[in-house]
Amino acid sequence: MPVPGNHEYESPNAAPYFAYFGPNAGPPGLGYYSYDLGAWHVVALNSEIDIRAGSAQDEWLRADLAAHAVHCTVAYLHRPRFSSGPHGNNPGLHDLWGTLYAFGVDIVLSAHDHLYERFAPQDPAGRADPERGIRQFIVGTGGAALYPPKAIRPNSERTGSEWGVLALTLRSGEYSWEFVPAEGGRFRDAGTGSCH
């Protein structure tokens, strides 16, 4: 259940991406969709097309979240809103985070920066909010050249620059995570959280 990133759009309209993944990538040319996974609602978003307030994607997202007012929701997209990596924070995603926050989304997964980072729950402006905030993970550790954090952002709880994957376990009302490094790696991160 993929989402496109900036490299997919090096080809016009990310056509090879949509051809390869077919219906698993969502509607052709759009690349955003949702599905349910156990007790969780999962939203796949396309950070490479217009996602500002009032855009077609934003209107779809609002309708989707309103129609799926479940206790736990996770969203994923390529670009992070907040990052201690070289790309830094992305103010262009402020509107999106406003929508996700307003509808009580619990977790956002992203990549783009080639590192691992976990943020404490925060609001769209980057202020700590342990009650209603969104926990963001950046997991850009899938094989491209890695780089260290550039400037640690507020509410960043853990960063690492090793190849690996994030194992995310979603249970009714709660979740747990574990960063699993590639063979020989030593960096670890693990914890638990509750849905709003």
Side-chain angles (χ1 to χ4, degrees):
M1 308 303 283
V3 291
N6 54 303
H7 294 290
E8 282 69 37
Y9 279 87
E10 290 175 1
S11 297
N13 301 313
Y17 164 85
F18 287 106
Y20 179 81
F21 286 108
N24 286 345
L30 299 180
Y32 50 87
Y33 54 96
S34 70
Y35 53 97
D36 291 325
L37 185 63
W40 284 69
H41 187 60
V42 182
V43 181
L45 298 168
N46 187 346
S47 61
E48 306 309 305
I49 63 173
D50 192 1
I51 203 163
R52 293 172 296 182
S55 67
Q57 186 170 194
D58 177 66
E59 294 299 320
W60 171 86
L61 176 62
R62 288 175 177 278
D64 179 80
L65 292 174
H68 297 91
V70 297
H71 186 56
C72 302
T73 305
V74 58
Y76 60 100
L77 69 164
H78 182 67
R79 294 180 191 262
R81 168 67 179 99
F82 304 100
S83 176
S84 298
H87 291 108
N89 289 349
N90 188 335
L93 294 177
H94 183 271
D95 291 349
L96 167 69
W97 268 66
T99 299
L100 298 175
Y101 183 80
F103 283 92
V105 169
D106 300 284
I107 303 170
V108 171
L109 304 171
S110 58
H112 196 52
D113 271 328
H114 302 176
L115 48 71
Y116 171 83
E117 186 165 21
R118 171 176 48 87
F119 285 87
Q122 53 189 337
D123 71 10
R127 294 180 297 252
D129 184 349
E131 298 299 318
R132 293 192 59 238
I134 300 169
R135 181 179 299 281
Q136 179 191 274
F137 293 90
I138 300 172
V139 191
T141 55
L146 299 169
Y147 37 71
K150 185 174 179 183
I152 301 298
R153 302 293 178 178
N155 305 311
S156 176
E157 293 183 317
R158 188 88 163 104
T159 61
S161 295
E162 286 194 24
W163 289 298
V165 298
L166 179 68
L168 190 61
T169 303
L170 307 175
R171 292 179 292 277
S172 181
E174 61 184 13
Y175 59 93
S176 60
W177 69 87
E178 180 184 6
F179 181 83
V180 181
E183 186 175 342
R186 296 189 314 243
F187 176 80
R188 298 264 180 193
D189 183 41
T192 61
S194 298
C195 299
H196 302 123

